[in-house]
Amino acid sequence: MVRLCWALRRARGWGALAGLRARPDKFGGVTVDLAELRRPLRLEWTAFGRWLQGAVLDESTGRVLVVQDRNRTLNAWKFPGGLSNPGEDIGDTAVREVFEETGIKSEFKSILSIRQQHKQPGAFGKSDMYIICRLEPSSFNISFCQQECLRCEWMDLDELARTKHATPITSSVAKLLLYGYREGFGKIDITMREFPAVYTGLFYKLYHRELPESYRNIT
Amino acid sequence: MVRLCWALRRARGWGALAGLRARPDKFGGVTVDLAELRRPLRLEWTAFGRWLQGAVLDESTGRVLVVQDRNRTLNAWKFPGGLSNPGEDIGDTAVREVFEETGIKSEFKSILSIRQQHKQPGAFGKSDMYIICRLEPSSFNISFCQQECLRCEWMDLDELARTKHATPITSSVAKLLLYGYREGFGKIDITMREFPAVYTGLFYKLYHRELPESYRNIT
């Protein structure tokens, strides 16, 4: 896998679109003239996708991977993440974005939380959806994207749950993750199952609470 | 509230768009010429939104509200639902769609399941997202949309979990709901909390597993 770490990645958030002219379209979305940006290639793919974040917890040390954005005035800790590409699975986006931003390899375990927000000024007054996943690390040496991040650390999960220097959503999810770490991830996980779709050769993924075998096999 | 039950509603699914010319757009979505439809008004709002379904369970009888589509060759039972309007909350869409389709009033309780599917032929090869909510009924007399549904019933949840005459996703979620009904909804619910956004006067909704007070108030 080639690691992508471009200055352009900084331009991927809604904020980077603030200078562009936007008008509502027929589909409940917005249209912007991307020619106004100098290097719109990647932005074109992802500008109106879903946001994903990965909470990567090292269970052996109780530490979690956090970053501080380079482009925010308030340097609050948050989980690494970014926008999904078209056709990309929820977990795959989280794993890819964490790797691109921090250099840490990880595996998808579950969905932890979903945020829905409307009328967002930074998204042209439209809605966005934010999904935070629980990931398990398979590498531990940080090599973070200098253009995107100011800092990147393995932080004690207990400290992240208590600090005031975190975004509110990070703080909520850190408390949830601490609850799962101490009392069992079965308390917090929204796990995934894959099923064949009605279209031959295609599959879909269903995320919900773990269902005991006795109920899965009911007939 | 005015109840909407139009023949046009039948045209709201992806299937109804199959006859239109579509081309991929810059944003990972698709563009179609809606002028090719005769009455595109409502379709314009919703064509590229999210799908929502409501599993309305009457706890006093153990029965759940199910429908059969008029426009499908296979008459399988499923939960009522439809597409979200721009800026509409997850739970609000489920409650509105259930009412429009069946005449049953209900209240949002939790998210039960999320489906992600890619390369869907019925969606121009794009991805879609399907969210199924748990709803509590506040009215019980069915008055279903004749244009949209062939049948609508309160069905024993145990029967729905066992029948072969249900879509696979309905069958999975019926088993999950039965598990919650018998052993406590706390086993299956993804509940909602509302928080003030960074933008004054705005709020966002965060969905995750119930977090005990002792963890919420950790400092």
Side-chain angles (χ1 to χ4, degrees), chain B residues 198-209:
Chain B
V198 291
Y199 306 104
T200 312
L202 296 181
F203 293 83
Y204 65 84
K205 284 176 177 164
L206 202 59
Y207 300 84
H208 55 68
R209 292 283 297 157

Side-chain angles (χ1 to χ4, degrees), chain A:
Chain A
M1 183 160 55
V2 178
R3 184 162 165 229
L4 306 170
C5 179
W6 312 339
L8 180 63
R9 276 180 55 89
R10 281 187 294 169
R12 288 172 61 187
W14 293 113
L17 301 178
L20 300 178
R21 283 187 297 270
R23 57 179 182 79
D25 67 22
K26 292 178 183 175
F27 310 111
V30 289
T31 298
V32 295
D33 181 4
L34 290 169
E36 293 178 27
L37 285 180
R38 285 185 195 170
R39 293 178 60 193
L41 180 66
R42 191 168 171 78
L43 199 54
E44 286 190 20
W45 291 354
T46 58
F48 300 95
R50 270 181 302 280
W51 286 99
L52 266 295
Q53 278 189 334
V56 188
L57 177 65
D58 179 357
E59 289 181 55
S60 65
T61 62
R63 293 190 168 195
V64 66
L65 188 65
V66 285
V67 296
Q68 287 188 357
D69 273 346
R70 181 168 285 281
N71 302 301
R72 303 282 169 134
T73 44
L74 178 70
N75 284 324
W77 292 108
K78 58 169 204 143
F79 302 114
L83 287 158
S84 60
N85 292 331
E88 189 175 46
D89 272 341
I90 288 169
D92 293 343
T93 305
V95 165
R96 177 183 55 74
E97 284 286 344
V98 163
F99 180 69
E100 290 177 13
E101 202 166 325
T102 69
I104 296 297
K105 292 178 184 169
S106 63
E107 186 192 339
F108 172 79
K109 302 308 282 184
S110 70
I111 290 177
L112 290 176
S113 184
I114 299 156
R115 184 193 73 179
Q116 191 177 35
Q117 187 166 264
H118 303 298
K119 298 180 185 169
Q120 231 202 306
F124 305 115
K126 295 291 169 187
S127 306
D128 73 355
M129 188 169 256
Y130 217 104
I131 301 177
I132 303 174
C133 300
R134 182 167 77 80
L135 307 179
E136 191 176 282
S138 58
S139 78
F140 301 90
N141 290 326
I142 290 170
S143 163
F144 68 92
C145 178
Q146 304 277 341
Q147 284 82 7
E148 198 160 7
C149 305
L150 191 69
R151 298 164 76 186
C152 177
E153 286 182 13
W154 287 103
M155 182 183 282
D156 195 85
L157 177 57
D158 191 74
E159 187 186 336
L160 183 64
R162 292 169 197 275
T163 184
K164 296 200 182 309
H165 303 291
T167 65
I169 195 169
T170 306
S171 188
S172 288
V173 173
K175 286 165 185 160
L176 186 73
L177 191 57
L178 186 65
Y179 172 48
Y181 181 56
R182 287 186 180 165
E183 308 198 16
F185 292 122
K187 302 267 189 193
I188 60 167
D189 280 347
I190 303 164
T191 51
M192 185 271 288
R193 288 200 290 161
E194 196 161 19
F195 294 88
V198 290
Y199 306 104
T200 311
L202 296 181
F203 293 83
Y204 64 83
K205 284 177 177 165
L206 201 61
Y207 300 83
H208 55 68
R209 291 284 296 159
E210 195 71 28
L211 185 63
E213 281 294 329
S214 56
Y215 283 91
R216 285 189 194 200
N217 300 329
I218 213 165
T219 45

Side-chain angles (χ1 to χ4, degrees), chain B residues 6-17:
Chain B
W6 313 339
L8 181 64
R9 276 179 56 89
R10 281 187 293 168
R12 288 172 62 187
W14 292 112
L17 300 178

Side-chain angles (χ1 to χ4, degrees), chain B:
Chain B
M1 182 158 56
V2 178
R3 184 164 165 228
L4 305 170
C5 177
W6 313 339
L8 181 64
R9 276 179 56 89
R10 281 187 293 168
R12 288 172 62 187
W14 292 112
L17 300 178
L20 300 177
R21 283 187 297 269
R23 56 179 183 79
D25 67 20
K26 292 177 183 176
F27 310 111
V30 289
T31 299
V32 295
D33 181 3
L34 290 169
E36 293 179 27
L37 284 181
R38 286 185 193 168
R39 293 178 60 192
L41 180 67
R42 190 167 172 78
L43 199 54
E44 286 190 20
W45 289 356
T46 58
F48 300 95
R50 269 180 304 279
W51 286 98
L52 266 295
Q53 277 189 335
V56 188
L57 177 66
D58 179 359
E59 288 181 56
S60 65
T61 62
R63 293 189 167 196
V64 66
L65 187 66
V66 285
V67 296
Q68 286 188 358
D69 273 347
R70 182 169 283 281
N71 303 299
R72 303 282 169 134
T73 44
L74 179 68
N75 285 322
W77 292 108
K78 58 168 205 146
F79 302 114
L83 286 159
S84 59
N85 293 330
E88 190 175 45
D89 272 341
I90 287 169
D92 292 344
T93 304
V95 165
R96 176 182 56 71
E97 284 286 344
V98 164
F99 180 69
E100 291 177 13
E101 202 165 325
T102 70
I104 298 296
K105 292 177 184 170
S106 63
E107 186 192 338
F108 173 79
K109 302 308 283 184
S110 70
I111 290 177
L112 290 177
S113 185
I114 299 156
R115 185 193 71 179
Q116 191 177 35
Q117 188 166 265
H118 303 298
K119 299 180 184 169
Q120 232 200 307
F124 305 114
K126 295 291 169 186
S127 306
D128 73 354
M129 188 169 255
Y130 218 104
I131 301 177
I132 302 174
C133 300
R134 183 167 76 80
L135 307 180
E136 191 176 281
S138 58
S139 78
F140 301 90
N141 290 326
I142 290 170
S143 162
F144 68 91
C145 178
Q146 305 277 342
Q147 284 83 8
E148 198 159 7
C149 304
L150 191 68
R151 298 164 76 186
C152 178
E153 286 181 14
W154 287 104
M155 182 183 282
D156 195 85
L157 176 57
D158 191 73
E159 188 186 335
L160 184 64
R162 291 168 197 275
T163 185
K164 296 200 182 309
H165 302 290
T167 65
I169 196 171
T170 305
S171 189
S172 288
V173 173
K175 287 165 185 160
L176 186 73
L177 192 55
L178 186 65
Y179 172 48
Y181 181 55
R182 287 187 179 162
E183 308 198 16
F185 292 122
K187 300 266 190 192
I188 61 168
D189 280 347
I190 303 163
T191 51
M192 185 271 289
R193 287 201 290 163
E194 197 162 18
F195 294 88
V198 291
Y199 306 104
T200 312
L202 296 181
F203 293 83
Y204 65 84
K205 284 176 177 164
L206 202 59
Y207 300 84
H208 55 68
R209 292 283 297 157
E210 196 70 28
L211 185 62
E213 282 293 329
S214 56
Y215 283 90
R216 285 188 194 201
N217 301 329
I218 213 166
T219 45

